[in-house]
Amino acid sequence: MPKLGVFDLSVRYGKLTAVKDVSFSIAEGERVFISGPNGAGKSSLLGAIAGEVRAAHGRIEMDGDILSGRVPEAIARRGLSMVPEGRRIFRALSVQENLMVGVGLRRDKAAVPDDLEAIYAAFPILGTRRHANAGALSGGQQQMLAIGRALMTNPKLMLVDEPSLGLAPRVVDEVYDRLCSLQAQRGLTLVIVEQSSARAGRVGGRMLLLRGGRIVADGDATAFAADDLLKEAYFGEAAPC
């Protein structure tokens, strides 16, 4: 049984179809990148899985349970968490208050203090600045906070939308290093929207390429990053010989 199954999923905004009859499955513990040009439907696909965007039709399952039609809070209780594009941190709250936002969904309240310290161990700057307003953090630190907040719900499947957006390459390297380490430590299944196929190739994993709301390729991220199939998927044309 796959960790995540998506079957004939479509997302529409009025007359615009953002995702068209998409189907794929992801095994437990996999790291899967979703890449493609602007407007390919990447964020709409993630939003539909998390329950933040209503699907026009199709079915989404996690561990065999149907997620389709459920509200985001109910989906989160089943072990799915999302790091949204733009981070959406609460700037007026402290770092620690932001981290505690998702704790209300948990049943294992006794484990929260240990998990909080684990987040501070993974992202030491957050521990140092735990009482500072989140709005005073740098962009990279805010991304770490958004990841930490998602982890505080104790997920088994985590969706991450554009973690490298607006960050310097060195900071992106640090964010991905921590993210991959946390995946190994916690046995997470990761689904990451990443605009840079080269970045996905360096990190490694599986890649789904979207164009026009459809999956046009599915395979090893490192191979796609260096292959002419990437250009074909992005621009709808074969690379010149």
Side-chain angles (χ1 to χ4, degrees), residues 114-128 130 178 182 185:
D114 287 343
D115 282 354
L116 186 62
E117 290 307 313
I119 296 301
Y120 289 146
F123 302 110
I125 188 62
L126 299 184
T128 301
R130 68 183 69 190
R178 304 289 174 83
L182 286 163
Q185 292 168 13

Side-chain angles (χ1 to χ4, degrees), residues 156-178:
K156 294 301 180 184
L157 170 62
M158 194 157 77
L159 314 179
V160 188
D161 197 353
E162 296 276 18
S164 60
L165 188 66
L167 303 182
R170 177 186 59 79
V171 178
V172 176
D173 287 342
E174 184 178 3
V175 168
Y176 267 114
D177 284 347
R178 304 289 174 83

Side-chain angles (χ1 to χ4, degrees), residues 10-11 24 27 37 48-49 60 100 103 111 124 126 143-144 166 182 192 209 220 239 241:
S10 291
V11 175
F24 62 91
I49 294 169
I60 303 165
M100 296 298 288
V103 169
L126 299 184
Q143 186 64 70
M144 294 174 191
L182 286 163
I192 306 170
L209 288 173
D220 181 75
C241 297

Side-chain angles (χ1 to χ4, degrees), residues 43 46-47 50-53 72 82-93 98 101 134 142-143 145-147 149 161:
S43 292
L46 242 63
E52 294 185 353
V53 175
M82 183 168 174
V83 181
E85 181 182 359
R87 298 149 201 152
R88 298 186 204 166
I89 63 166
F90 298 99
R91 299 175 62 87
L93 299 183
N98 269 270
V101 164
Q142 289 182 11
Q143 186 64 70
L145 177 57
I147 292 169
R149 181 180 60 189
D161 197 353

Side-chain angles (χ1 to χ4, degrees), residues 55-71:
H57 68 77
R59 188 173 82 259
I60 303 165
E61 295 182 0
M62 179 178 167
D63 294 326
D65 293 332
I66 295 177
L67 301 185
S68 312
R70 297 185 183 275
V71 298

Side-chain angles (χ1 to χ4, degrees), residues 17-228:
T17 301
V19 178
K20 303 176 183 177
D21 302 318
V22 164
S23 296
F24 62 91
S25 62
I26 295 175
E28 186 167 4
E30 263 198 296
R31 183 187 306 138
V32 178
F33 290 95
I34 299 175
S35 194
N38 289 332
K42 304 183 298 294
S43 292
S44 293
L45 175 57
L46 242 63
I49 294 169
E52 294 185 353
V53 175
R54 184 176 180 180
H57 68 77
R59 188 173 82 259
I60 303 165
E61 295 182 0
M62 179 178 167
D63 294 326
D65 293 332
I66 295 177
L67 301 185
S68 312
R70 297 185 183 275
V71 298
E73 292 80 8
I75 292 173
R77 287 192 182 95
R78 282 164 171 76
L80 185 150
S81 189
M82 183 168 174
V83 181
E85 181 182 359
R87 298 149 201 152
R88 298 186 204 166
I89 63 166
F90 298 99
R91 299 175 62 87
L93 299 183
S94 72
V95 167
Q96 185 152 309
E97 287 169 336
N98 269 270
L99 290 172
M100 296 298 288
V101 164
V103 169
L105 297 173
R106 294 179 57 161
R107 295 185 177 93
D108 59 336
K109 296 294 195 297
V112 168
D114 287 343
D115 282 354
L116 186 62
E117 290 307 313
I119 296 301
Y120 289 146
F123 302 110
I125 188 62
L126 299 184
T128 301
R129 306 197 65 183
R130 68 183 69 190
H131 300 302
N133 280 3
L137 300 180
S138 69
Q141 291 164 0
Q142 289 182 11
Q143 186 64 70
M144 294 174 191
L145 177 57
I147 292 169
R149 181 180 60 189
L151 288 168
M152 284 301 293
T153 66
N154 194 28
K156 294 301 180 184
L157 170 62
M158 194 157 77
L159 314 179
V160 188
D161 197 353
E162 296 276 18
S164 60
L165 188 66
L167 303 182
R170 177 186 59 79
V171 178
V172 176
D173 287 342
E174 184 178 3
V175 168
Y176 267 114
D177 284 347
R178 304 289 174 83
L179 194 57
C180 292
S181 294
L182 286 163
Q183 180 185 18
Q185 292 168 13
R186 291 172 170 248
L188 285 170
T189 303
L190 284 180
V191 182
I192 306 170
V193 167
E194 176 52 74
Q195 183 72 25
S196 170
S197 59
R199 171 71 59 184
R202 286 195 294 275
V203 174
R206 176 181 163 203
M207 183 184 286
L208 303 176
L209 288 173
L210 263 64
R211 179 164 55 85
R214 298 182 185 275
I215 295 176
V216 295
D218 179 350
D220 181 75
T222 303
F224 277 137
D227 197 282
D228 287 340

